[in-house]
Amino acid sequence: MSLEEAKQQLDTAKQSGLVGETPTGYLAVVKADGNAREIVDAINEARRQEYSRIAAKHNIPVAEVEAVAGKKAVEKTPAGQFVRIGDKWVRK
Amino acid sequence: SATPRVTVSAELEGSNASRILAETLEQWPAGIEISDGSLSANASVRLPDTGQSLEGKIIASGMSGIVDRMAWTGLNGTLELSMEDALVVRTSELQLAQLNPGVPLGPVSITGSYRAPLQALTKGAISLVRGRAGFLGGEARGKPGEWSLADLPLTVPVWLNDIQVDRLMTVYPAEGLAGSGTLQGEVPLVISREGVRVAGGNIRAVAPGGTLKLPADRLQALARNNETMDLVVRALQNFNYSVLNSTIDYDQEGTLNLGLRLEGSNPQVRDGHPIVVNINLQEDIPALLTSLQLSGRVNEAVTEKVRKLMEKREAGNGEN
Amino acid sequence: CTPTVQMAAPKEPITVNLNVKIQHEIYVKVDKEVDELFEDQGLF
């Protein structure tokens, strides 16, 4: 699956509870239906590259960019969608 | 007739200790969490008809946890309490392996006592016999003395000895800084209800001085709004100083002001011509500590706590 | 006669006065760039 396709299907996958955000800054599969796994892999790969670009630019470890992104992703997730808290999925 | 004596003892283990203490003592400050170690307390109360008296001991062993955004580890020691006409709390030695708000302090050891009239428990007198903490390869030592909490603010002079410049450089959250030399000084802590500040502190390098190696890109980032930086930036990449002294002031909002004076030279700049640099340096300590805490230099629990704090703060002003 | 010792006049030091304000806005910038990542590039 191309990144573009993954981006297009991301919202529907989130709304139908297939994928969700986690504090690590990366997407994860909530329910392995349809092409949830491919969407997660494509989006995470793009995020990983962007996080390291930002980290290199500011001379800070990638983990710090991931931490900021994780916090933001969980926070921005609208009600009704899933976020990972500890080791379980919680519907906001 | 024998006066009845009631003895009470309790043993609190690790994390439930803070929950129980928080439930029992209502002034228990919310920000204190205990993660492990044990707290044991025993007290004996005598109830003569003339007035009660209480003798007690609180013993902490191997305790650690968080207070606000600081991690504390290895608390050991005994507090002796007695209550008759006044409350007296005394410790021959309270030890803390480390206190870490972003910059590690420790080992910390405190010897002293607190005495307060029963009707004004928070307005008593503190007597410090010995208070010292390891800091950046040297130590911070409080000047022994007596202070009354009834008339704040109180001023506690703190001496800084054997502070190692190289340790200072590694603690600072900018990579590539290096240096050598030993500093000593005095920092008067002014403690009031609003918090702690420093007024009129000073620090200086002991002879013969040392070196400072501040990479050019770091300095560019640190002093962006300054045009006459070229000579100084090049000089400070390998600056041998004979004089380094600074005034220290720190206000309630967390702004640290250093009036720094450097005298020395860099053999590769103007073939070692003597240079004097006077720098008014302003550092935002809360932001510095936050970036240290966020970057995981304390521990995961503090990093998590700071992250939540930042979230709340952002959610607070999320609307505008 | 007593030899006079000629002390070379010490070189006049170059004096620089600076005002430096250190800000830790690295995290503010990173925060903004991650925002752009999520908003503009559809990675959220």
Side-chain angles (χ1 to χ4, degrees):
Chain A
M1 167 178 284
S2 78
L3 180 57
E4 274 325 308
E5 281 162 335
K7 283 185 186 177
Q8 271 128 28
Q9 298 175 27
L10 182 54
D11 273 347
T12 36
K14 278 189 170 181
Q15 273 139 24
S16 37
L18 295 181
V19 302
E21 293 292 349
T22 76
T24 63
Y26 296 99
L27 269 176
V29 172
V30 180
K31 201 152 51 102
D33 285 1
N35 40 31
R37 168 52 56 199
E38 288 124 301
I39 294 172
V40 166
D41 291 347
I43 297 286
N44 282 350
E45 189 39 40
R47 286 187 181 184
R48 191 163 288 113
Q49 281 158 19
E50 289 301 318
Y51 293 159
S52 15
R53 175 185 58 79
I54 293 173
K57 184 176 159 194
H58 295 293
N59 199 339
I60 55 173
V62 182
E64 280 167 34
V65 182
E66 288 166 343
V68 171
K71 176 168 72 76
K72 193 175 288 297
V74 168
E75 194 183 282
K76 277 164 65 76
T77 297
Q81 290 185 15
F82 283 92
V83 285
R84 187 107 183 140
I85 306 289
D87 47 21
K88 44 191 180 351
W89 285 106
V90 170
R91 187 188 287 272
K92 264 183 102 168
Chain B
S1 66
T3 50
R5 174 168 291 284
V6 175
T7 57
V8 173
S9 67
E11 177 85 22
L12 301 176
E13 282 302 322
S15 49
N16 55 30
S18 45
R19 191 172 40 71
I20 293 165
L21 287 170
E23 280 148 17
T24 43
L25 311 168
E26 49 333 284
Q27 310 107 331
W28 182 262
I32 298 188
E33 288 154 36
I34 301 170
S35 55
D36 43 45
S38 67
L39 191 72
S40 70
N42 54 65
S44 66
V45 183
R46 198 159 33 78
L47 298 170
D49 28 39
T50 53
Q52 92 288 4
S53 89
L54 173 141
E55 302 291 333
K57 270 200 173 67
I58 298 177
I59 302 153
S61 40
M63 295 183 74
S64 49
I66 311 177
V67 54
D68 196 18
R69 287 156 48 161
M70 294 188 282
W72 51 278
T73 52
L75 177 64
N76 289 291
T78 304
L79 279 180
E80 284 128 22
L81 294 106
S82 74
M83 192 129 82
E84 219 153 334
D85 46 4
L87 166 70
V88 178
V89 180
R90 188 187 317 281
T91 178
S92 55
E93 172 139 53
L94 208 55
Q95 283 182 335
L96 195 58
Q98 189 182 82
L99 182 63
N100 191 344
V103 176
L105 270 153
V108 180
S109 85
I110 294 168
T111 306
S113 62
Y114 177 71
R115 161 185 282 278
L118 292 187
Q119 59 282 27
L121 287 179
T122 58
K123 292 261 189 305
I126 291 182
S127 155
L128 179 69
V129 172
R130 182 172 180 273
R132 68 166 298 286
F135 183 54
L136 296 177
E139 80 168 353
R141 176 186 290 277
K143 184 172 183 220
E146 281 261 335
W147 296 275
S148 159
L149 294 188
D151 43 54
L152 293 176
L154 47 94
T155 300
V156 180
V158 173
W159 292 305
L160 297 174
N161 304 311
D162 292 330
I163 303 297
Q164 298 306 304
V165 171
D166 58 359
R167 291 283 290 277
L168 179 61
M169 294 292 161
T170 50
V171 155
Y172 198 74
E175 283 80 22
L177 307 184
S180 70
T182 303
L183 308 176
Q184 65 187 20
E186 183 175 330
V187 173
L189 299 184
V190 180
I191 301 165
S192 65
R193 289 258 175 275
E194 294 77 38
V196 179
R197 55 187 177 79
V198 168
N202 67 75
I203 197 161
R204 59 205 165 284
V206 301
T211 62
L212 287 176
K213 292 187 167 62
L214 312 180
D217 57 352
R218 281 292 130 208
L219 281 184
Q220 240 62 28
L222 287 176
R224 228 183 319 279
N225 46 24
N226 210 295
E227 335 71 46
T228 64
M229 272 304 281
D230 179 57
L231 176 73
V232 174
V233 164
R234 280 191 295 117
L236 289 179
Q237 284 175 58
N238 182 20
F239 192 72
N240 303 321
Y241 66 85
S242 55
V243 169
L244 181 157
N245 58 48
S246 179
T247 59
I248 303 174
D249 291 283
Y250 174 72
D251 66 23
Q252 228 76 64
E253 285 75 37
T255 307
L256 175 69
N257 281 298
L258 299 179
L260 193 60
R261 180 180 176 84
L262 282 168
E263 290 173 23
S265 62
N266 178 336
Q268 291 90 24
V269 172
R270 303 269 179 88
D271 51 60
H273 193 92
I275 298 173
V276 170
V277 185
N278 294 309
I279 305 180
N280 282 324
L281 194 69
Q282 198 179 73
E283 168 71 87
D284 176 344
I285 294 296
L288 169 65
L289 291 178
T290 300
S291 68
L292 283 169
Q293 290 152 358
L294 260 182
S295 64
R297 289 211 189 189
V298 180
N299 64 28
E300 204 17 61
V302 165
T303 307
E304 206 31 53
K305 189 168 187 180
V306 174
R307 216 179 277 142
K308 287 203 186 62
L309 258 171
M310 304 271 273
E311 262 164 40
K312 242 193 261 127
R313 209 175 296 163
E314 266 144 36
N317 50 39
E319 311 77 35
N320 52 26
Chain C
C1 69
T2 55
T4 59
V5 176
Q6 235 349 6
M7 279 296 290
K11 288 183 192 160
E12 201 46 47
I14 306 163
T15 299
V16 178
N17 298 323
L18 290 174
N19 287 314
V20 168
K21 189 168 190 320
I22 298 174
Q23 270 128 347
H24 290 270
E25 81 292 24
I26 294 177
Y27 286 94
V28 173
K29 283 217 274 340
V30 167
D31 202 77
K32 198 160 60 55
E33 283 171 39
V34 170
D35 251 336
E36 282 151 19
L37 195 62
F38 282 175
E39 304 295 340
D40 317 340
Q41 295 176 27
L43 286 178
F44 172 70

